[in-house]
Amino acid sequence: MSSGDASEQSRRTSVLSWDQVQRLDSILGESVPIHGRGNFPTLSVQPRQIVQVVRARLEERGVVVSDVKLNGSAASHVLHQDNGLGYKDLDLIFGLSLTDDTTFRVVMDVVLDCLVDFLPEGVCRDRITAVALKEAYVQKLVKVCKETDRWSLISLSNNTGKNVELKFVDSLRRQFEFSVDSFQITLDSLLLFDRCSETAMSETFHPTVQGESKYGDFEEALGHLRSRTIATRNPEEIRGGGLLKYCHLLARGFRPSSETQMKQMQRYMCSRFFIDFPDINVQQRKLEAYLQNHFAGMEHKRYECLVTLRRVVDESTVCLMGHERRQTLALISALALRVMAEQNAIPALANVTCYYQPAPYVRDVNFSNYYVARVQSHMATWNSYQTWLPCR
């Protein structure tokens, strides 16, 4: 490694303090419920347990795991507890070689097999098939096999949105959206300490744990997290969901590092959103899923996020025809209205009485100065269109 490479690696990484190691140990030791569908019981899983079991089973099957890392909002929480975001999902990244479809299949089989170990006592395991376990406990499955991206995601269900997400990564071109979610913490030293040390951790006796920022500069990214600043690199690479994350950060009190750069970035993100989610029905499903998964326990922020999203789409969308843009804005408005109704901020009535003062020239004695408008759901009347067009 050259001196330049060593210097760059040094900027990207940092050793965690004792307080940070304690928060990491607490997260890994917290019992997270994995809720089963139908008659399947709820599993109680500690992240450190499932990591150790999955890793051991993979290596028994000949799949070498190079490292395991904590990613995303949980890693940000470890590094700075009062970051204004908290954490929901537990993103765990297993580094390994996904050379062919067989390895992808082995990964799936191993994870499902490990779930059997966490079934409560008294459950008959003999008749439970892998297909039944997948239907009961797996919320989302993703497999990506491209030249620059080879990875698989298995998300385990949690009704409160705190999913345990196991990501198996060979290569991944873009591993972050903004600097505040670019952190990864390597867990290997802490897990090895768990297995080998008979002495409890203390400030003077604990493993060295290293964190990394995929943004490229650890201290700069940590400064953004502490000051609640939105910054990124190469915004044209951010996928469509980045627009929702951006509006989420704004709703949580984060602010752009540069207004000029953010205007350009908003245009990139809006264009990519409409590429990845090209028709109104797909957009609706994406928005509803995002609200469900990222605001559990903070439902009052959903409305603010939607209002922010509507403003950004209205200001920064340049690749849509007029009626398509109006469709998307109407969708966001309807979702915001629904969110307000769910929070009892407005009455959720089928009929809305609208009062207005008639113009002075109205002299008809039969004229009524109010009317009752029946409000229909916009979502039931929208047609599906391909809403994105290439920028010329």
Side-chain angles (χ1 to χ4, degrees), residues 10-29:
S10 176
R11 287 195 308 113
R12 294 171 66 95
T13 60
S14 179
V15 175
L16 270 62
S17 68
W18 166 236
D19 287 341
Q20 292 167 338
V21 171
Q22 284 182 299
R23 282 197 293 273
L24 175 61
D25 184 64
S26 176
I27 287 176
L28 295 180

Side-chain angles (χ1 to χ4, degrees), residues 32 74 106 128 138 234 284 318:
V32 180
V106 167
I128 299 178
V138 176
N234 304 322
Q284 180 180 340
V318 294

Side-chain angles (χ1 to χ4, degrees), residues 80-99:
H80 183 57
Q81 187 172 11
D82 300 323
N83 58 38
L85 290 174
Y87 71 96
K88 294 299 180 186
D89 294 342
L90 285 167
D91 300 330
L92 298 162
I93 298 178
F94 294 75
L96 42 76
S97 177
L98 293 168
T99 54

Side-chain angles (χ1 to χ4, degrees), residues 56-309:
R57 298 279 176 83
L58 284 172
E59 294 182 347
E60 286 174 6
R61 299 283 295 271
V63 179
V64 177
V65 178
S66 58
D67 51 40
V68 183
K69 298 179 179 180
L70 182 68
N71 183 57
S73 60
S76 299
H77 175 79
V78 167
L79 296 172
H80 183 57
Q81 187 172 11
D82 300 323
N83 58 38
L85 290 174
Y87 71 96
K88 294 299 180 186
D89 294 342
L90 285 167
D91 300 330
L92 298 162
I93 298 178
F94 294 75
L96 42 76
S97 177
L98 293 168
T99 54
D100 50 38
D101 286 341
T102 301
T103 310
F104 279 99
R105 185 68 221 178
V106 167
V107 166
M108 166 65 75
D109 292 343
V110 163
V111 172
L112 295 178
D113 185 54
C114 290
L115 292 180
V116 176
D117 293 355
F118 295 98
L119 288 169
E121 292 184 9
V123 175
C124 181
R125 292 167 166 77
D126 297 337
R127 297 183 179 181
I128 299 178
T129 65
V131 173
L133 287 170
K134 183 174 72 172
E135 293 297 323
Y137 294 111
V138 176
Q139 177 174 346
K140 181 168 58 176
L141 284 173
V142 179
K143 175 185 174 183
V144 177
C145 189
K146 299 179 181 178
E147 184 177 348
T148 57
D149 296 283
R150 297 181 65 86
W151 55 274
S152 175
L153 170 69
I154 303 175
S155 178
L156 305 179
S157 300
N158 180 280
N159 294 343
T160 64
K162 198 171 188 176
N163 300 329
V164 177
E165 301 205 332
L166 308 177
K167 184 177 284 186
F168 303 87
V169 176
D170 184 330
S171 59
L172 186 58
R173 183 178 60 174
R174 178 88 182 196
Q175 299 193 45
F176 74 100
E177 292 167 329
F178 304 99
S179 62
V180 294
D181 64 7
S182 68
F183 299 104
Q184 295 182 357
I185 299 173
T186 304
L187 305 180
D188 299 66
S189 60
L190 187 58
L191 297 175
L192 180 63
F193 187 92
D194 288 344
R195 294 197 303 270
C196 300
S197 178
E198 297 180 357
T199 305
M201 286 196 306
S202 66
E203 186 170 2
T204 57
F205 183 70
H206 63 269
T208 299
V209 180
Q210 190 172 72
E212 178 183 5
S213 170
K214 294 297 181 179
Y215 174 74
D217 188 317
F218 188 94
E219 291 303 324
E220 182 181 348
L222 187 58
H224 293 162
L225 186 63
R226 288 169 174 160
S227 63
R228 303 191 180 188
T229 299
I230 302 173
T232 191
R233 301 189 193 279
N234 304 322
E236 66 278 4
E237 297 177 358
I238 299 176
R239 297 191 66 84
L243 174 64
L244 305 184
K245 180 62 177 288
Y246 172 70
C247 295
H248 186 180
L249 290 174
L250 290 175
R252 292 290 187 93
F254 285 69
R255 290 294 174 261
S257 58
S258 165
E259 291 291 341
T260 303
Q261 291 178 2
M262 284 301 113
K263 293 294 183 184
Q264 182 182 20
M265 189 182 75
Q266 286 177 187
R267 288 194 290 271
Y268 276 127
M269 290 190 296
C270 286
S271 296
R272 188 54 190 258
F273 179 82
F274 292 112
I275 293 173
D276 290 352
F277 311 107
D279 68 71
I280 201 71
N281 294 321
V282 175
Q283 293 166 21
Q284 180 180 340
R285 288 195 294 272
K286 177 63 180 178
L287 289 172
E288 289 175 340
Y290 191 89
L291 293 174
Q292 177 67 31
N293 295 333
H294 292 83
F295 290 90
M298 295 196 69
E299 287 77 5
H300 62 285
K301 287 290 184 180
R302 290 178 180 176
Y303 177 77
E304 188 174 347
C305 182
L306 287 168
V307 170
T308 303
L309 175 63

